[in-house]
Amino acid sequence: MSGKNFCLFIPLLFTLCSTTNGDLTGHLQPLGSQVPPVGDVLTLTEIPSPQEFFDQFVKPGKPVVFKGAATKTPAYELWTDDYLSSKFGEVKFDVEEGKKENRSRELFNMPLGEFLKSYKEKDIYLVASVPKIMRDDIYLLKCLLCGGFTDELQDSVMWFSNGGTKSVLHYDAIDNINCLMSGTKELFMVHKKEHAHVLIDKPDGSFSKVDVDKVDLQKYPGLADVPWYKANMEAGDCLFIPYRWFHQVRSYGPRNLAINIWFAHKLEFNSTDCEESPYKDKQFAPLSEFEVTESLGPGLPLLLLDEMEQKPIDEEKFLEIIKNLWNSEKLMKGEGIEVLKEIFKEIDTNEDSLISPEEVTGSSLDEYEQELMELFPRDGDEDDGEGDEDDGEGDDDGGDDFKDEGDVEDDDDENADIGRHEDL
Ligand SMILES: *[C@@H]1O[C@H](CO)[C@@H](O)[C@H](O)[C@H]1NC(C)=O
Ligand SMILES: *[C@@H]1O[C@H](CO)[C@@H](O)[C@H](O)[C@H]1NC(C)=O
């Protein structure tokens, strides 16, 4: 007999809840509290071979944690504060004021010794390329030692604080392996295909302005039900953060030190050097044995082909893909759209309103890319903001700040412009 009332009551309550806060779970709460993760990022205890790494993780864009992989890197044991201070205390580094990234923080330059004296108390974050003299202590993992990865190492960066850093939600247009020497990190990671959920708003096109401590679901409604993966890193772990995956990184102390390596995204594995490489049977090799320089990585035609996944696409899909690859506000307004539509027509030689992989391959898209660069500089290229930290990552099925290393003893590896932010 109470059954009747009950039935009425439940739908009412349900309606009430769903209109007042059903859609706003986690509104103004930290990123990640809006919806539970789809799962954790896969963890492996064995490091795969370069070919396996490419086939299973790089190509499909799938994050993975290599448990304990960094414990063999000399820096893992060696780089205590005392050691760093006595050996590299005079080396100067860029240090950011403020551990919460907003891409407009002050940067200042100080000797490592000075940083080490004050980082435990201050709201500062050292984010800077590892200078050459420190690279003997950093190892590249086996999975990068052939196949062409080491031909395009782009930058290796140190991320050092007392914990409590928070990156913006962003992506990098290159692949990344981040190894943690001290502390723990947590990453919120979203597949690169989920553009509909992650609003990458201005100013530089590769990050979201959402406040990661207080997510405004009215401004960023896609985050209410974004499918995300969680990565937990402990000291000694390395995380692969795939090209273009969205990620947000939090670090915990009392001492947090990570070192990452960025490498150009490869569309093909080149096994030529796997046979004769001096590293072919090695588990690790010191970073100091390789060149680390900014290189271009694949151009627009290859990136477009990769996104097309072997299928013809229409104009709308073409515009969407280019928009995501190009990162330019300007390109996506009025005139830019017209230019892209013209390019689409040029590529579509059989005029069936679709462009096929063959048509892209036979087109002059590489020349158009040059023109686009002049007319519509990519937002990240234009403004090299300061250093930000970043890096991080997710599971499956998924720059720009220039750092002037002027004061570091060798300033040849400036890794500019690859879009970094807090993560790793
Ligand atoms: C960015 O962070 C710095 C350091 O915490 C702060 O001084 C500055 O006001 C922040 N800028 C914005 C736009 O929030
Ligand atoms: C593959 O790598 C070798 C060097 O190891 C290089 O000579 C060759 O040009 C590369 N092939 C392609 C297709 O990039």
Side-chain angles (χ1 to χ4, degrees):
M1 105 185 240
S2 59
K4 268 187 205 154
N5 291 341
F6 203 64
C7 287
L8 285 175
F9 183 64
I10 294 295
L12 241 172
L13 194 74
F14 180 75
T15 314
L16 209 70
C17 288
S18 59
T19 51
T20 55
N21 63 24
D23 293 330
L24 290 179
T25 304
H27 181 52
L28 304 181
Q29 299 297 312
L31 185 62
S33 31
Q34 292 67 39
V35 59
V38 177
D40 287 340
V41 167
L42 177 70
T43 295
L44 294 182
T45 49
E46 288 278 313
I47 304 169
S49 70
Q51 178 85 59
E52 290 164 340
F53 177 59
F54 180 80
D55 293 344
Q56 296 168 28
F57 303 102
V58 175
K59 183 82 183 166
K62 175 174 165 139
V64 56
V65 172
F66 298 129
K67 194 80 202 153
T71 54
K72 305 271 171 26
T73 281
Y76 180 74
E77 302 257 341
L78 211 53
W79 285 15
T80 60
D81 287 1
D82 284 346
Y83 176 87
L84 289 172
S85 174
S86 64
K87 198 140 180 233
F88 307 112
E90 306 298 311
V91 181
K92 289 187 169 177
F93 285 94
D94 283 342
V95 173
E96 297 174 358
E97 171 91 67
K99 293 183 292 184
K100 181 170 174 179
E101 182 183 19
N102 64 20
R103 307 250 172 142
S104 57
R105 290 176 296 192
E106 288 282 318
L107 256 195
F108 44 99
N109 199 269
M110 59 165 75
L112 185 58
E114 194 182 312
F115 172 82
L116 290 166
K117 277 188 214 134
S118 56
Y119 81 96
K120 291 248 158 99
E121 284 79 48
K122 289 194 174 156
D123 184 25
I124 54 176
Y125 196 6
L126 185 158
V127 180
S129 292
V130 179
K132 274 202 175 142
I133 43 162
M134 296 173 77
R135 289 187 198 160
D136 286 342
D137 296 344
I138 317 259
Y139 282 176
L140 285 186
L141 303 183
K142 168 174 96 169
C143 60
L144 294 181
L145 295 183
C146 77
F149 294 116
T150 54
D151 296 337
E152 292 186 273
L153 300 176
Q154 305 234 336
D155 196 11
S156 175
V157 168
M158 256 169 88
W159 311 81
F160 198 170
S161 75
N162 65 355
T165 67
K166 293 164 194 170
S167 74
V168 293
L169 176 59
H170 70 283
Y171 68 83
D172 302 312
I174 44 180
D175 286 311
N176 186 355
I177 291 182
N178 187 334
C179 295
L180 194 55
M181 305 295 140
S182 287
T184 58
K185 281 191 193 263
E186 279 175 11
L187 289 94
F188 173 96
M189 304 185 70
V190 179
H191 193 285
K192 66 175 163 133
K193 293 207 162 120
E194 302 292 347
H195 308 287
H197 285 282
V198 181
L199 176 61
I200 295 297
D201 39 11
K202 300 211 282 181
D204 89 353
S206 63
F207 74 99
S208 170
K209 288 203 285 183
V210 66
D211 183 339
V212 300
D213 288 326
K214 281 170 129 194
V215 172
D216 186 336
L217 287 176
Q218 266 139 8
K219 269 199 198 152
Y220 301 92
L223 294 175
D225 57 355
V226 61
W228 67 281
Y229 294 85
K230 189 167 189 182
N232 288 306
M233 298 176 73
E234 296 178 315
D237 296 348
C238 296
L239 170 67
F240 169 57
I241 303 171
Y243 156 88
R244 301 195 86 86
W245 268 63
F246 303 103
H247 54 276
Q248 193 263 330
V249 189
R250 288 169 195 267
S251 74
Y252 300 91
R255 178 184 196 260
N256 197 287
L257 173 59
I259 296 161
N260 82 294
I261 180 83
W262 269 299
F263 47 102
H265 181 58
K266 302 194 79 60
L267 301 170
E268 303 289 344
F269 187 79
N270 179 350
S271 61
T272 320
D273 66 342
C274 293
E275 293 303 311
E276 68 254 23
S277 163
Y279 308 109
K280 73 174 180 329
D281 300 315
K282 298 250 166 70
Q283 294 294 309
F284 309 97
L287 180 60
S288 49
E289 299 192 8
F290 303 91
E291 287 278 311
V292 180
T293 51
E294 198 195 351
S295 62
L296 292 172
L300 197 55
L302 287 175
L303 294 173
L304 172 62
L305 283 167
D306 194 46
E307 296 291 325
M308 288 167 69
E309 298 174 336
Q310 266 55 290
K311 292 188 292 268
I313 53 168
D314 62 12
E315 186 188 79
E316 189 187 342
K317 183 75 186 168
F318 173 75
L319 292 177
E320 185 198 318
I321 292 175
I322 301 293
K323 173 179 169 188
N324 288 319
L325 289 174
W326 201 263
N327 264 353
S328 164
E329 287 271 316
K330 208 172 149 198
L331 183 66
M332 281 304 139
K333 288 185 187 144
E335 193 194 341
I337 298 284
E338 291 314 310
V339 172
L340 290 180
K341 287 182 175 173
E342 282 302 313
I343 293 176
F344 182 88
K345 276 201 204 113
E346 294 283 333
I347 298 175
D348 181 19
T349 46
N350 67 0
E351 300 179 15
D352 64 350
S353 301
L354 292 174
I355 58 176
S356 64
E358 293 72 28
E359 284 173 322
V360 171
T361 306
S363 75
S364 311
L365 185 55
D366 49 345
E367 285 162 32
Y368 300 136
E369 179 176 11
Q370 296 300 321
E371 283 173 41
L372 290 176
M373 267 192 255
E374 280 158 34
L375 291 170
F376 308 104
R378 276 179 277 202
D379 294 333
D381 295 345
E382 218 172 23
D383 139 353
D384 8 265
E386 62 318 49
D388 323 279
E389 51 231 327
D390 87 307
D391 331 358
E393 221 29 81
D395 184 21
D396 175 62
D397 166 75
D400 9 60
D401 310 11
F402 177 74
K403 227 149 254 217
D404 182 348
E405 310 253 295
D407 292 51
V408 175
E409 141 178 349
D410 42 300
D411 54 349
D412 64 338
D413 55 322
E414 318 266 303
N415 59 344
D417 258 306
I418 44 188
R420 69 170 55 128
H421 315 276
E422 160 105 55
D423 60 306
L424 297 226

